[in-house]
Amino acid sequence: MQKQTHSFELTIFNDIEELSLDDKSLLLRAVEARKKAYAPYSKFQVGAALVLENGVIVIGNNQENACYPSGLCAERVAIYHAGANYPGERIRTLAITATSENYAVDRPAAPCGNCRQSISEYEVKQGTPIRILMMGETGKVLQCESVADLLPLAFDDSFL
Ligand code: THU
């Protein structure tokens, strides 16, 4: 028997102003995307913006549905758009931001489990890490270097 400890490095910025210019502008694209979310049920708007290795930025936002499970998170709207339209391009960084009509979201919103699994698929496929930036409406920005950090012991194609 043995025990292992798995840990990862999380970078915490005090606010968006501490980011590099490129990361700040990507996160601001996510903020713009967030404003166009379709979230009439949860009133929780999420925006995502990812940058591809060719420099193209793809955005997504949550798309809800009266049949709740038929809706889709912002992150998956963005990565599936990238997968559909730029299948050969690696994803470098994915920025995520969230706000609510019910309260002030002053802490970062991390991707849900389904989104982590979906982003992981593309990270495994492309063979290079996808950085994740996370922010609420205001406040701290979290950065992790790979989606694998957020999904340890992931299920992937090696099992199939
Ligand atoms: N949502 C996202 O868009 N991304 C996440 O990672 C978490 C949740 C959306 C789904 C739903 O429209 C709303 O937020 C409330 O769960």
Side-chain angles (χ1 to χ4, degrees), residues 8-80:
F8 74 98
E9 188 176 272
L10 186 67
T11 308
I12 303 170
F13 299 93
N14 284 318
D15 61 37
I16 191 170
E17 300 305 327
E18 283 189 3
L19 297 178
S20 69
L21 277 182
D22 282 352
D23 284 349
K24 182 182 169 185
S25 69
L26 186 66
L27 196 46
L28 289 176
R29 291 291 299 272
V31 169
E32 288 309 306
R34 192 185 75 197
K35 293 175 184 165
K36 291 181 267 183
Y38 177 60
Y41 305 107
S42 70
K43 316 277 190 209
F44 188 77
Q45 293 91 3
V46 185
L50 61 82
V51 61
L52 301 170
E53 66 182 352
N54 65 2
V56 168
I57 290 175
V58 172
I59 61 101
N61 44 39
N62 50 333
Q63 297 295 317
E64 296 188 349
N65 193 285
C67 177
Y68 292 1
S70 298
L72 201 62
C73 292
E75 296 90 326
R76 276 176 286 166
V77 170
I79 58 163
Y80 290 150

